[in-house]
Amino acid sequence: MSVQRPSTPRSLTRTEADDAEVRELGKRYDENYFLHEIGDMGEPYVRDNPVWKAIFARVAQAIVTELAPKSVLDAGCGIGFLVEALRERGVEAFGLDISEYAIANAADEVRPFCELASITDELTRRYDLIVCMEVLEHLPPHLAPRAVENLTGHTDLVLFSSTPKDFRDSTHLNVQPTEYWVGLFGSRDFFRDPDFDASFVADHAILFRRIKAIPANVLRAYERRYWRTEKELRELRHAGAQTSEEAAGVNLRNVDDQRAYIESLNERLEAMRERQNELRSLLMDANEQLLRRDQELRVRGREEIRLRDEEIEWLRGVVRQRDEEIEWLRGSQAELSRLQSTRAWLIVAAWWRLRARVAGLFRAG
């Protein structure tokens, strides 16, 4: 049974100008971007950076634990951190990105599963889950609806995030509040799952599910989320009011008191920074240990395979030698049988029998 490629919906029809614009955008995401401009952590986005490895390992584990998809597409996969982490956990994961540099620098074991393509290019298969993290803000606004329609046309579940406030990045062309994206996904019958906490991706992350109609249980779920949020806000306001009253009672009568208070805050901040550096150092040490252990296991595995191959080759030699001996014995047996059937052999055999008989008669006499 052949599978037909889905036809392109009218709203997804691409123009040459759009394709040229997307290709031009892809050139901006070069080595300099991934080493110095991506994110706000000041961490180079390279394969051997344990910080990024740890982030995507945490996201992958949460996806597997909470959603258990069998197939996943990371739309905007960069150098394939999430694809790699998901495949290590048994998920059939794929990725796409418009950056030639990113795809070229994916790990060797996941590069066959990462495609150089745009999120606006029509997908060719369905997935249990599509992940799109901090990608759509990089597209110009007129391409956003097409990208959303493309994603939602090939899955029933989208784990999505797009920064609502980072206007500093020059590659951010369409920074919008979450309600903007909720509206685009809602036009495709995709709605927020109010019971799913997607904060392991980002505070503004959303899990969208395809819902053809709004059943009563979905409305109840939204009401639960609304009531819980309102309750938390009231409690925070009450706690804030108490804190303000307590702060008003703090006696900062002079400049020395204020300076001491600021110094204490700076000390706490410095302690937090030291703790952060300590945790990062521990993370890097742990990652190095894991990499070293992985290398040791690989070396040991290669040595065991080499010894096994040598043993197999020796056994093959023994089998070949045995086969040669058997073949030689068969040839000798055939040659002996041939000789025994010749006239000369028959005369010699008769002579030896006669000689034995005469010798017997002499011994008897």
Side-chain angles (χ1 to χ4, degrees):
M1 178 179 178
S2 61
V3 179
Q4 294 184 347
R5 184 186 181 96
S7 58
T8 303
R10 174 172 296 181
S11 58
L12 285 180
T13 302
R14 298 193 300 270
T15 65
E16 292 184 1
D18 288 339
D19 289 340
E21 184 176 11
V22 170
R23 286 194 299 271
E24 194 64 30
L25 284 175
K27 298 177 182 178
R28 302 180 64 178
Y29 305 105
D30 54 10
E31 181 179 11
N32 180 71
Y33 175 81
F34 284 97
L35 292 182
H36 305 294
E37 299 181 30
I38 192 169
D40 56 1
M41 299 188 302
E43 294 287 346
Y45 191 82
V46 292
R47 287 205 308 272
D48 57 356
N49 190 327
V51 174
W52 288 107
K53 280 182 173 290
I55 289 173
F56 284 99
R58 175 174 54 83
V59 172
Q61 187 58 51
I63 288 174
V64 171
T65 302
E66 300 295 331
L67 299 174
K70 293 182 179 178
S71 60
V72 175
L73 173 68
D74 184 9
C77 64
I79 63 175
F81 276 126
L82 184 59
V83 176
E84 182 177 6
L86 287 170
R87 283 192 166 268
E88 289 174 350
R89 289 160 175 78
V91 179
E92 186 186 13
F94 301 88
L96 61 84
D97 202 285
I98 61 171
S99 168
E100 292 186 11
Y101 171 84
I103 298 300
N105 283 273
D108 293 340
E109 56 267 26
V110 299
R111 193 175 302 145
F113 310 105
C114 295
E115 178 185 4
L116 179 63
S118 167
I119 201 171
T120 59
D121 293 337
E122 183 190 357
L123 305 178
T124 58
R125 58 161 288 180
R126 290 186 61 82
Y127 301 90
D128 294 335
L129 171 69
I130 293 181
V131 179
C132 183
M133 299 187 298
E134 310 305 317
V135 176
L136 290 192
E137 67 269 20
H138 294 272
L139 285 178
H142 70 276
L143 292 179
R146 194 174 83 196
V148 170
E149 187 168 358
N150 191 28
L151 298 179
T152 55
H154 297 83
T155 188
D156 293 327
L157 204 61
V158 178
L159 182 57
F160 176 82
S161 68
S162 178
T163 177
K165 57 184 180 181
D166 186 1
F167 296 91
R168 297 170 299 174
D169 191 329
S170 62
T171 66
H172 287 178
L173 307 178
N174 191 25
V175 176
Q176 298 287 352
T178 54
E179 57 261 32
Y180 169 86
W181 302 110
V182 167
L184 285 181
F185 277 92
S187 68
R188 298 286 299 165
D189 295 326
F190 276 71
F191 300 94
R192 176 197 286 268
D193 184 337
D195 292 324
F196 186 86
D197 182 6
S199 61
F200 61 86
V201 172
D203 291 340
H204 50 270
I206 300 172
L207 180 68
F208 287 108
R209 290 185 183 274
R210 183 189 301 276
I211 304 176
K212 285 295 186 180
I214 306 297
N217 61 327
V218 175
L219 295 176
R220 287 196 296 269
Y222 274 94
E223 178 59 24
R224 283 197 307 272
R225 183 64 176 266
Y226 173 80
W227 171 248
R228 186 164 60 246
T229 303
E230 283 294 306
K231 184 173 181 292
E232 291 173 355
L233 285 174
R234 284 195 296 271
E235 291 174 351
L236 288 173
R237 290 193 189 103
H238 180 67
Q242 288 183 331
T243 302
S244 298
E245 292 175 359
E246 293 172 358
V250 175
N251 187 11
L252 298 177
R253 289 186 296 268
N254 52 52
V255 175
D256 291 337
D257 290 337
Q258 295 180 19
R259 184 179 294 112
Y261 181 66
I262 292 173
E263 288 178 354
S264 68
L265 291 178
N266 286 333
E267 290 175 358
R268 291 175 60 187
L269 178 60
E270 185 62 28
M272 292 175 64
R273 286 175 178 168
E274 291 178 358
R275 180 58 177 163
Q276 181 183 19
N277 291 333
E278 180 183 352
L279 291 174
R280 185 173 185 275
S281 178
L282 290 173
L283 176 62
M284 293 181 68
D285 290 343
N287 187 70
E288 289 178 0
Q289 292 178 13
L290 288 173
L291 292 175
R292 188 160 53 249
R293 179 61 175 164
D294 181 66
Q295 183 65 22
E296 291 174 355
L297 290 174
R298 290 184 181 181
V299 171
R300 186 184 304 170
R302 287 195 294 268
E303 180 63 18
E304 291 177 353
I305 291 173
R306 185 185 65 80
L307 293 174
R308 185 202 62 187
D309 290 343
E310 289 180 356
E311 183 178 1
I312 291 174
E313 187 60 31
W314 178 81
L315 289 173
R316 286 175 177 169
V318 172
V319 171
R320 283 196 299 270
Q321 184 177 358
R322 186 204 62 185
D323 291 343
E324 290 173 359
E325 292 175 352
I326 292 174
E327 189 63 28
W328 180 84
L329 289 173
R330 286 175 176 171
S332 299
Q333 182 65 37
E335 181 64 19
L336 180 60
S337 298
R338 187 185 66 78
L339 289 173
Q340 289 177 341
S341 64
T342 62
R343 180 178 181 82
W345 179 270
L346 294 174
I347 293 172
V348 171
W351 183 82
W352 278 106
R353 286 195 299 271
L354 178 60
R355 181 179 176 182
R357 186 178 301 169
V358 170
L361 291 173
F362 278 109
R363 282 196 299 271

mmCIF file of all heavy atoms in Angstrom, residues 191-206:
data_model
loop_
_atom_site.group_PDB
_atom_site.id
_atom_site.type_symbol
_atom_site.label_atom_id
_atom_site.label_comp_id
_atom_site.label_asym_id
_atom_site.label_seq_id
_atom_site.Cartn_x
_atom_site.Cartn_y
_atom_site.Cartn_z
ATOM 1 N N PHE A 191 -5.671 23.879 21.662
ATOM 2 C CA PHE A 191 -5.897 24.685 22.862
ATOM 3 C C PHE A 191 -4.946 24.240 23.976
ATOM 4 O O PHE A 191 -4.510 23.081 24.020
ATOM 5 C CB PHE A 191 -7.351 24.549 23.320
ATOM 6 C CG PHE A 191 -8.342 25.008 22.279
ATOM 7 C CD1 PHE A 191 -8.912 24.097 21.394
ATOM 8 C CD2 PHE A 191 -8.672 26.345 22.148
ATOM 9 C CE1 PHE A 191 -9.811 24.502 20.421
ATOM 10 C CE2 PHE A 191 -9.569 26.764 21.179
ATOM 11 C CZ PHE A 191 -10.138 25.843 20.310
ATOM 12 N N ARG A 192 -4.653 25.174 24.857
ATOM 13 C CA ARG A 192 -3.772 24.894 25.990
ATOM 14 C C ARG A 192 -4.347 23.769 26.850
ATOM 15 O O ARG A 192 -5.548 23.734 27.133
ATOM 16 C CB ARG A 192 -3.607 26.151 26.840
ATOM 17 C CG ARG A 192 -2.773 25.932 28.103
ATOM 18 C CD ARG A 192 -2.985 27.060 29.096
ATOM 19 N NE ARG A 192 -2.336 28.276 28.688
ATOM 20 C CZ ARG A 192 -1.113 28.636 29.038
ATOM 21 N NH1 ARG A 192 -0.386 27.819 29.802
ATOM 22 N NH2 ARG A 192 -0.600 29.788 28.641
ATOM 23 N N ASP A 193 -3.464 22.853 27.271
ATOM 24 C CA ASP A 193 -3.838 21.863 28.265
ATOM 25 C C ASP A 193 -3.616 22.498 29.639
ATOM 26 O O ASP A 193 -2.472 22.633 30.084
ATOM 27 C CB ASP A 193 -2.976 20.606 28.111
ATOM 28 C CG ASP A 193 -3.388 19.491 29.062
ATOM 29 O OD1 ASP A 193 -4.011 19.798 30.098
ATOM 30 O OD2 ASP A 193 -3.072 18.314 28.787
ATOM 31 N N PRO A 194 -4.672 22.905 30.336
ATOM 32 C CA PRO A 194 -4.498 23.652 31.591
ATOM 33 C C PRO A 194 -3.962 22.803 32.731
ATOM 34 O O PRO A 194 -3.497 23.348 33.736
ATOM 35 C CB PRO A 194 -5.914 24.154 31.890
ATOM 36 C CG PRO A 194 -6.813 23.161 31.235
ATOM 37 C CD PRO A 194 -6.090 22.704 30.005
ATOM 38 N N ASP A 195 -4.032 21.493 32.605
ATOM 39 C CA ASP A 195 -3.550 20.619 33.673
ATOM 40 C C ASP A 195 -2.102 20.190 33.480
ATOM 41 O O ASP A 195 -1.560 19.445 34.309
ATOM 42 C CB ASP A 195 -4.432 19.362 33.773
ATOM 43 C CG ASP A 195 -5.829 19.686 34.264
ATOM 44 O OD1 ASP A 195 -5.941 20.587 35.117
ATOM 45 O OD2 ASP A 195 -6.790 19.072 33.790
ATOM 46 N N PHE A 196 -1.464 20.645 32.383
ATOM 47 C CA PHE A 196 -0.079 20.234 32.116
ATOM 48 C C PHE A 196 0.867 21.379 32.442
ATOM 49 O O PHE A 196 0.704 22.506 31.944
ATOM 50 C CB PHE A 196 0.088 19.830 30.645
ATOM 51 C CG PHE A 196 1.440 19.252 30.334
ATOM 52 C CD1 PHE A 196 1.684 17.908 30.530
ATOM 53 C CD2 PHE A 196 2.476 20.061 29.876
ATOM 54 C CE1 PHE A 196 2.929 17.361 30.253
ATOM 55 C CE2 PHE A 196 3.713 19.525 29.600
ATOM 56 C CZ PHE A 196 3.937 18.169 29.792
ATOM 57 N N ASP A 197 1.844 21.103 33.278
ATOM 58 C CA ASP A 197 2.846 22.094 33.651
ATOM 59 C C ASP A 197 4.040 21.972 32.716
ATOM 60 O O ASP A 197 4.826 21.034 32.811
ATOM 61 C CB ASP A 197 3.272 21.882 35.111
ATOM 62 C CG ASP A 197 4.285 22.921 35.577
ATOM 63 O OD1 ASP A 197 4.556 23.862 34.811
ATOM 64 O OD2 ASP A 197 4.787 22.791 36.711
ATOM 65 N N ALA A 198 4.159 22.916 31.787
ATOM 66 C CA ALA A 198 5.246 22.887 30.797
ATOM 67 C C ALA A 198 6.415 23.774 31.212
ATOM 68 O O ALA A 198 7.266 24.107 30.388
ATOM 69 C CB ALA A 198 4.722 23.333 29.435
ATOM 70 N N SER A 199 6.492 24.148 32.467
ATOM 71 C CA SER A 199 7.546 25.060 32.911
ATOM 72 C C SER A 199 8.926 24.437 32.868
ATOM 73 O O SER A 199 9.921 25.137 33.029
ATOM 74 C CB SER A 199 7.246 25.550 34.336
ATOM 75 O OG SER A 199 7.192 24.470 35.247
ATOM 76 N N PHE A 200 9.034 23.105 32.662
ATOM 77 C CA PHE A 200 10.363 22.501 32.501
ATOM 78 C C PHE A 200 11.019 22.980 31.209
ATOM 79 O O PHE A 200 12.232 22.834 31.027
ATOM 80 C CB PHE A 200 10.273 20.974 32.528
ATOM 81 C CG PHE A 200 9.446 20.358 31.439
ATOM 82 C CD1 PHE A 200 9.997 20.074 30.209
ATOM 83 C CD2 PHE A 200 8.107 20.061 31.651
ATOM 84 C CE1 PHE A 200 9.236 19.500 29.196
ATOM 85 C CE2 PHE A 200 7.341 19.484 30.658
ATOM 86 C CZ PHE A 200 7.909 19.207 29.429
ATOM 87 N N VAL A 201 10.230 23.551 30.286
ATOM 88 C CA VAL A 201 10.776 24.175 29.082
ATOM 89 C C VAL A 201 11.060 25.650 29.347
ATOM 90 O O VAL A 201 12.170 26.140 29.167
ATOM 91 C CB VAL A 201 9.806 24.016 27.896
ATOM 92 C CG1 VAL A 201 10.287 24.833 26.693
ATOM 93 C CG2 VAL A 201 9.666 22.558 27.508
ATOM 94 N N ALA A 202 10.031 26.383 29.792
ATOM 95 C CA ALA A 202 10.144 27.805 30.135
ATOM 96 C C ALA A 202 8.865 28.200 30.859
ATOM 97 O O ALA A 202 7.841 27.517 30.765
ATOM 98 C CB ALA A 202 10.341 28.660 28.880
ATOM 99 N N ASP A 203 8.925 29.317 31.583
ATOM 100 C CA ASP A 203 7.739 29.771 32.319
ATOM 101 C C ASP A 203 6.569 30.043 31.385
ATOM 102 O O ASP A 203 5.408 29.904 31.781
ATOM 103 C CB ASP A 203 8.068 31.037 33.117
ATOM 104 C CG ASP A 203 9.011 30.765 34.274
ATOM 105 O OD1 ASP A 203 9.105 29.591 34.687
ATOM 106 O OD2 ASP A 203 9.652 31.710 34.755
ATOM 107 N N HIS A 204 6.858 30.453 30.144
ATOM 108 C CA HIS A 204 5.795 30.805 29.201
ATOM 109 C C HIS A 204 5.456 29.647 28.254
ATOM 110 O O HIS A 204 4.705 29.843 27.302
ATOM 111 C CB HIS A 204 6.213 32.025 28.376
ATOM 112 C CG HIS A 204 7.576 31.896 27.762
ATOM 113 N ND1 HIS A 204 8.722 32.303 28.400
ATOM 114 C CD2 HIS A 204 7.981 31.388 26.565
ATOM 115 C CE1 HIS A 204 9.765 32.063 27.625
ATOM 116 N NE2 HIS A 204 9.344 31.506 26.509
ATOM 117 N N ALA A 205 6.006 28.465 28.496
ATOM 118 C CA ALA A 205 5.756 27.320 27.601
ATOM 119 C C ALA A 205 4.323 26.811 27.751
ATOM 120 O O ALA A 205 3.726 26.894 28.829
ATOM 121 C CB ALA A 205 6.744 26.203 27.884
ATOM 122 N N ILE A 206 3.792 26.253 26.668
ATOM 123 C CA ILE A 206 2.395 25.782 26.623
ATOM 124 C C ILE A 206 2.362 24.424 25.926
ATOM 125 O O ILE A 206 3.060 24.215 24.923
ATOM 126 C CB ILE A 206 1.494 26.768 25.850
ATOM 127 C CG1 ILE A 206 1.508 28.147 26.507
ATOM 128 C CG2 ILE A 206 0.056 26.250 25.754
ATOM 129 C CD1 ILE A 206 0.793 29.215 25.683
#
